[in-house]
Amino acid sequence: MKTQELLFLSLNLCILPFTEKEKDPKYWNAGAQMTLKNALTLQTLNKNKAENLILFLGDGMGVPTVTAARILKGQLSGQSGEETQLEMDKFPFVSLAKTYNTNAQVPDSAGTATAYLCGVKANEGTVGVSAAAVRSQCNTTEGNEVTSILRWAKDAGKSVGIVTTTRVNHATPSAAYAHSVDRDWYSDNEMPAEALQAGCKDIARQLFENIPNIDVIMGGGRKYMFPKNRSDVEYPGVAKHSGTRKDGRDLVQEWIDKTKDKKGHYVWNKKQLLSLNPNNVDYLLGLFEPGDLPYDLERNSETDPSLTEMVEVAIKILRKNPSGFYLLVEGGRIDHGHHEGKAKQALHEAVEMDRAIGRASLLTSIHDTLTIVTADHSHMFNFGGYTPRGNTIFGLAPMLSDADQKPFTSILYGNGPGYKLVNGARENVSTIDYQENNYQAQAAVPLSMETHGGEDVAVFAKGPMAHLLHGVHEQNYIPHVMAYAGCIGQNREHCLSRSGTAGLHPVLSTIATLFTVTRLLC
């Protein structure tokens, strides 16, 4: 069957109700044949040099979260959901990453961030240091620092950026620039006196001192940048949002003073951000909340930018550099939603990150931009219960429990705050609003905070050298692939080809020549 005929058949089948079109074997055969033809085009590998490198990190976005977010995305647009494609689903190469920390079977976000940003596995709770460093022991920092791909990119002349929905000094972004034996040392206020006396620096301070001139920084965490008790610009008089720094420094003003003659701009709300002309901005610091940004479902669309909006501005600023850019984007509150047992919050965060992935795709090209989407770890989140096709992802399973004769939601957690007994028995979910935004799904084991999961996470890749992400790998492999594709860090020798493509490493070329000569001689 010709490609045009397949396309025509697919389009005609798509206008039928899904229950009807899917009864026809031609629907499934045509779809599979189109997928096969697309797969065959991937036999010609993209070996271009990646001028631009983008890493989208869905914090806590395990495979069950990806699947549930796909269904939610479709249902938000009036579809059944299961057949929907996420933007990340369209990436041609997918692999699995093993997420364990050097000292933890089930990891945390700090040790994993060190892996996928710095290229080495590390202990839980530490960022930007090797496994030789011990959590909270300041004297194990020096000599055990490891640098990140953001640093490698900056040293190679690229522009670099960080965009997150959490605090900019939270675990994920901090591994890009900081070397800290404790992820919780957000400012000097959170550090023990002995650590300060021993010379360890808080993470907020390291953001501005370790890697000079990070081009774009956007997220939350304002309070860690200002002197203790300094009233917040957005929430004046609210003590919990006031400055925390004991050293009296105003890190934001210091940044403004340093960049004012370099087209630097500081913004703290959406209006200020979107009023900027990226062509007139070389450095951007955007701190939109004292702590983490609000969940997307609770976001004030007038004052708080979405992740998609932040990503668009970041790329438009960074792409002006003819040497290209590196951008780290974190959908950080997927993780927070799961920890709180609030699956609806978590899944809407994942859908918003997928929108941001789509926007980035429109602003870049697969010919010169390597884009990777992955997670740092999973969660004790899942959904099941033999739900019928099109069942709302937040809905009930179609049967009662045969143990307690009560209904249950499809979404459940293995542990967490959703464990609840009423009169000594499991709560009857039909008596409450289980589709409310902050509903805490039932959990098997009671915990104040749900935990991470230990299974492998998916790694989606497209663009130059994306084919190197295949099979099952250690998580720390990811930045090595990105560095190789971008000809930065320790992987540069293969980039000496003048053709503009990433050529063979000289050693590999020699081996190939030897094999050819051997075959001729035999």
Side-chain angles (χ1 to χ4, degrees):
M1 192 178 289
K2 295 180 181 179
T3 303
Q4 294 92 331
E5 293 172 337
L6 285 169
L7 183 59
F8 178 77
L9 178 58
S10 297
L11 290 172
N12 276 278
L13 287 170
C14 284
I15 63 175
L16 298 172
F18 77 83
T19 51
E20 291 302 315
K21 70 184 181 186
E22 292 179 5
K23 292 178 181 178
D24 189 343
K26 293 177 181 178
Y27 169 80
W28 299 107
N29 288 328
Q33 286 296 313
M34 288 296 291
T35 303
L36 176 60
K37 287 184 177 294
N38 287 334
L40 288 170
T41 66
L42 299 176
Q43 302 306 301
T44 303
L45 300 176
N46 182 347
K47 296 183 179 181
N48 295 339
K49 176 184 176 182
E51 296 294 343
N52 309 314
L53 304 164
I54 305 177
L55 176 63
F56 279 93
L57 192 287
D59 199 312
M61 192 181 70
V63 172
T65 299
V66 172
T67 307
R70 176 189 304 130
I71 294 172
L72 174 59
K73 178 183 178 181
Q75 292 180 349
L76 288 172
S77 61
Q79 300 169 5
S80 169
E82 300 85 358
E83 70 291 337
T84 301
Q85 268 197 313
L86 291 167
E87 293 297 328
M88 64 186 91
D89 290 341
K90 301 172 185 177
F91 286 30
F93 297 97
V94 183
S95 59
L96 293 176
K98 296 154 68 174
T99 64
Y100 67 91
N101 295 149
T102 47
N103 65 340
Q105 186 177 75
V106 178
D108 91 316
S109 296
T112 51
T114 304
Y116 61 75
L117 290 174
C118 302
V120 300
K121 289 223 169 192
N123 293 328
E124 59 88 26
T126 66
V127 291
V129 289
S130 71
V134 181
R135 184 170 188 174
S136 301
Q137 293 187 18
C138 174
N139 63 357
T140 65
T141 307
E142 189 172 355
N144 293 319
E145 301 92 343
V146 290
T147 58
S148 77
I149 186 169
L150 184 140
R151 180 62 180 257
W152 310 339
K154 191 66 175 176
D155 288 347
K158 294 184 182 296
S159 293
V160 296
I162 297 170
V163 175
T164 179
T165 52
T166 67
R167 288 153 277 182
V168 294
N169 49 350
H170 207 252
T172 296
S174 65
Y177 57 82
H179 311 289
S180 178
V181 292
D182 199 312
R183 58 175 286 179
D184 295 329
W185 290 354
Y186 299 119
S187 73
D188 58 352
N189 183 65
E190 289 75 39
M191 295 178 65
E194 54 269 25
L196 289 168
Q197 291 165 4
C200 278
K201 297 179 181 180
D202 64 88
I203 297 172
R205 180 180 169 189
Q206 292 189 57
L207 171 60
F208 299 102
E209 294 183 358
N210 284 8
I211 303 177
N213 302 323
I214 296 178
D215 303 82
V216 173
I217 303 167
M218 279 191 276
R222 238 183 356 240
K223 66 181 180 180
Y224 304 107
M225 314 300 168
F226 294 104
K228 196 170 183 65
N229 298 324
R230 169 85 63 84
S231 189
D232 184 73
V233 64
E234 189 174 5
Y235 307 99
V238 181
K240 67 178 182 178
H241 295 320
S242 296
T244 65
R245 302 198 63 81
K246 290 181 176 179
D247 59 11
R249 291 178 64 178
D250 181 336
L251 298 179
V252 171
Q253 189 59 52
E254 292 179 18
W255 183 91
I256 292 172
D257 292 342
K258 188 175 69 171
T259 62
K260 63 183 179 182
D261 296 326
K262 302 177 181 179
K263 295 184 179 180
H265 293 263
Y266 168 66
V267 297
W268 59 268
N269 61 50
K270 176 177 176 176
K271 182 178 180 181
Q272 292 173 341
L273 175 68
L274 298 187
S275 68
L276 295 174
N277 180 346
N279 293 324
N280 298 326
V281 179
D282 288 342
Y283 296 98
L284 174 62
L285 174 62
L287 300 174
F288 303 106
E289 287 290 328
D292 300 319
L293 273 58
Y295 286 121
D296 197 61
L297 277 177
E298 299 172 353
R299 180 173 61 88
N300 183 327
S301 60
E302 297 296 318
T303 59
D304 298 316
S306 67
L307 183 61
T308 300
E309 289 165 339
M310 291 191 290
V311 165
E312 178 166 354
V313 173
I315 291 177
K316 287 181 176 179
I317 293 172
L318 297 173
R319 70 182 182 184
K320 296 185 297 179
N321 187 339
S323 297
F325 65 84
Y326 172 85
L327 176 61
L328 168 64
V329 180
E330 183 196 20
R333 303 219 64 198
I334 301 169
D335 177 73
H336 295 176
H338 281 322
H339 277 308
E340 295 175 356
K342 299 175 181 177
K344 192 166 188 176
Q345 298 285 12
L347 296 184
H348 275 270
E349 292 295 305
V351 170
E352 171 57 25
M353 192 181 87
D354 196 63
R355 289 192 196 100
I357 294 167
R359 187 65 55 86
S361 295
L362 293 174
L363 295 168
T364 58
S365 166
I366 59 168
H367 298 295
D368 65 0
T369 302
L370 172 62
T371 305
I372 293 175
V373 179
T374 189
D376 46 358
H377 54 74
S378 188
H379 271 272
M380 295 295 287
F381 161 88
N382 221 317
F383 69 100
Y386 302 114
T387 45
R389 181 77 179 274
N391 198 72
T392 171
I393 191 64
F394 303 115
L396 297 175
M399 79 281 275
L400 300 180
S401 164
D402 58 6
D404 65 9
Q405 286 72 53
K406 292 178 182 176
F408 60 96
T409 56
S410 174
I411 287 175
L412 296 168
Y413 285 94
N415 57 44
Y419 178 94
K420 187 176 182 181
L421 297 179
V422 177
N423 298 322
R426 183 173 70 91
E427 184 176 41
N428 188 332
V429 295
S430 67
T431 65
I432 57 175
D433 184 4
Y434 51 81
Q435 299 204 50
E436 191 265 326
N437 288 355
N438 290 306
Y439 169 70
Q440 293 177 309
Q442 292 186 336
V445 176
L447 287 176
S448 59
M449 293 288 281
E450 176 265 4
T451 73
H452 295 167
E455 75 269 25
D456 298 348
V457 296
V459 185
F460 305 85
K462 70 172 181 178
M465 295 294 172
H467 56 277
L468 298 179
L469 286 158
H470 63 92
V472 180
H473 300 289
E474 296 286 1
Q475 194 170 43
N476 67 294
Y477 173 64
I478 294 171
H480 291 270
V481 170
M482 299 186 80
Y484 185 90
C487 298
I488 61 176
Q490 60 183 292
N491 295 109
R492 298 186 184 187
E493 291 183 24
H494 65 288
C495 304
L496 300 178
S497 167
R498 295 181 179 178
S499 64
T501 61
L504 283 172
H505 189 287
V507 173
L508 296 180
S509 298
T510 303
I511 293 173
T513 302
L514 286 172
F515 272 118
T516 303
V517 172
T518 303
R519 289 185 64 186
L520 289 171
L521 289 173
C522 293

